[in-house]
Amino acid sequence: MIKIAVVGTGNVGRFAITNALAEEDVELVGVITRKKHDLGIAGTENIQIAEDITALDVKPDVAVLCIPTRAVPETAEKCLNAGISTVDCFDIHGKIVDLRAQLDKAAKANGRVAVTASGWDPGSDSIVRTLMQAAAPKGLTYTNFGPGMSMGHSVAAKSKPAVRDALSMTIPLGTGVHRRMVYIEVEQGSTYEEAKEQILADDYFCHDETHVIAVDDINQLKDMGHGVHMIRKGVSGGTHNQILEFNMTINNPALTAQMMIASARAATRQNPGCYTLIEIPVVDYVQGEREDLVRKLV
């Protein structure tokens, strides 16, 4: 059994708890949260809740970090230094390589494994993009997200001092170009103009067309559905016009959580170090013996 602890009880964390309880080879040994209350999730009545992972009675093999992206570097390094492997859903694409180097050093120093940028994008989509490039080495791949709620962008918008709550919708415009529709409740004592300025200055939003819209109640707008359509048009050897497509319509936090649980399983099968999902054999994400999986899936 793979002993895991889920860190964080937001949207992804709650699905990670539920999904971990459903896995036959995973044992949930703790939940890390500052909220000292009943989780309200069936099957967690006897699961230990703590504010710090080192306070758990049973030391986990892997910490599944369901926390905001910008909290990942410090928290992951703390877990690794405590001798606990980690899985995170860090989603700032341009900073993944730097984080990977940082966590690789900590993981190897402590004989542990870190899996970074897990989830569906980055994550499972990264694996599909890699496979597409292998099939058609020359060409272009366009990743079109949505329409749907972006958790990372929503958290980033909500973190602004002038914002009480936020929902960021990703609208695909085609050829990998997106529009961000950011709906906000303005914090009391702040103005819409202040909130808009803070959001547009953030690295999550400053590279895309972004519209900030004030609303009365964010909860009336929330829908955790999302999706992706990837298309690659390329060349295999000397054969042109190879067109590859991949479509997925999902519940965003549920799939993110499932890929993180699968990554926790994979983490126990790797040598010490830090890995992105494309660096791990895909068979290692799946429950079962490798020979049996090869027989069934190949």
Side-chain angles (χ1 to χ4, degrees):
M1 297 293 286
I2 303 164
K3 296 179 174 63
I4 74 163
V6 172
V7 182
T9 54
N11 292 326
V12 176
R14 294 182 69 81
F15 276 108
I17 292 167
T18 302
N19 296 359
L21 292 171
E23 298 289 333
E24 296 179 359
D25 61 340
V26 169
E27 179 185 1
L28 181 64
V29 299
V31 175
I32 310 305
T33 179
R34 296 189 184 95
K35 302 173 183 177
K36 303 293 284 186
H37 59 73
D38 180 22
L39 295 172
I41 300 174
T44 62
E45 295 80 9
N46 297 317
I47 301 297
Q48 184 179 3
I49 300 175
E51 293 189 17
D52 191 286
I53 199 165
T54 59
L56 292 176
D57 295 336
V58 178
K59 183 178 179 179
D61 301 312
V62 186
V64 179
L65 306 182
C66 305
I67 57 178
T69 277
R70 285 168 174 152
V72 164
E74 180 180 356
T75 304
E77 196 158 5
K78 177 182 176 181
C79 291
L80 292 167
N81 289 336
I84 302 168
S85 295
T86 62
V87 173
D88 66 66
C89 52
F90 188 89
D91 68 349
I92 303 176
H93 288 260
K95 297 183 179 180
I96 290 172
V97 171
D98 291 340
L99 177 62
R100 175 174 168 273
Q102 175 187 339
L103 298 186
D104 188 66
K105 182 177 179 180
K108 288 177 177 175
N110 293 282
R112 298 288 92 191
V113 171
V115 180
T116 192
S118 180
W120 64 280
D121 205 304
S124 56
D125 283 356
S126 308
I127 297 171
V128 175
R129 276 192 292 269
T130 304
L131 182 59
M132 283 182 166
Q133 185 161 329
K138 296 179 182 179
L140 293 168
T141 300
Y142 298 110
T143 304
N144 302 293
F145 300 114
M149 172 184 172
S150 169
M151 293 183 297
H153 287 78
S154 296
V155 169
K158 187 177 179 180
S159 71
K160 304 309 174 189
V163 177
R164 181 166 64 242
D165 201 357
L167 166 67
S168 179
M169 292 289 292
T170 301
I171 309 298
L173 302 180
T175 61
V177 179
H178 300 88
R179 177 184 295 130
R180 309 290 178 184
M181 303 296 296
V182 187
Y183 301 91
I184 63 168
E185 295 176 27
V186 178
E187 186 63 79
Q188 188 173 4
S190 299
T191 67
Y192 164 78
E193 287 73 20
E194 290 172 329
K196 180 179 179 181
E197 182 179 357
Q198 292 167 7
I199 289 169
L200 294 181
D202 192 288
D203 191 54
Y204 267 98
F205 299 101
C206 64
H207 306 292
D208 297 313
E209 176 190 339
T210 301
H211 300 267
V212 181
I213 302 162
V215 299
D216 295 328
D217 185 1
I218 289 296
N219 288 323
Q220 297 300 313
L221 308 180
K222 285 186 178 178
D223 171 3
M224 294 182 187
H226 214 320
V228 66
H229 174 216
M230 283 191 282
I231 183 166
R232 180 171 181 82
K233 185 176 185 298
V235 181
S236 303
T239 304
H240 290 245
N241 205 38
Q242 303 286 66
I243 299 177
L244 315 175
E245 292 189 62
F246 174 79
N247 279 289
M248 185 167 63
T249 301
I250 59 166
N251 176 299
N252 190 347
L255 187 59
T256 298
Q258 187 62 45
M259 287 307 302
M260 294 182 78
I261 297 299
S263 296
R265 177 183 294 114
T268 66
R269 299 170 175 176
Q270 310 309 309
N271 293 322
C274 183
Y275 303 82
T276 59
L277 267 62
I278 67 171
E279 298 171 275
I280 296 173
V282 291
V283 70
D284 287 350
Y285 298 111
V286 185
Q287 178 187 348
E289 296 297 326
R290 178 170 289 199
E291 290 297 318
D292 291 338
L293 294 169
V294 169
R295 187 176 296 110
K296 293 175 183 177
L297 299 174
V298 173

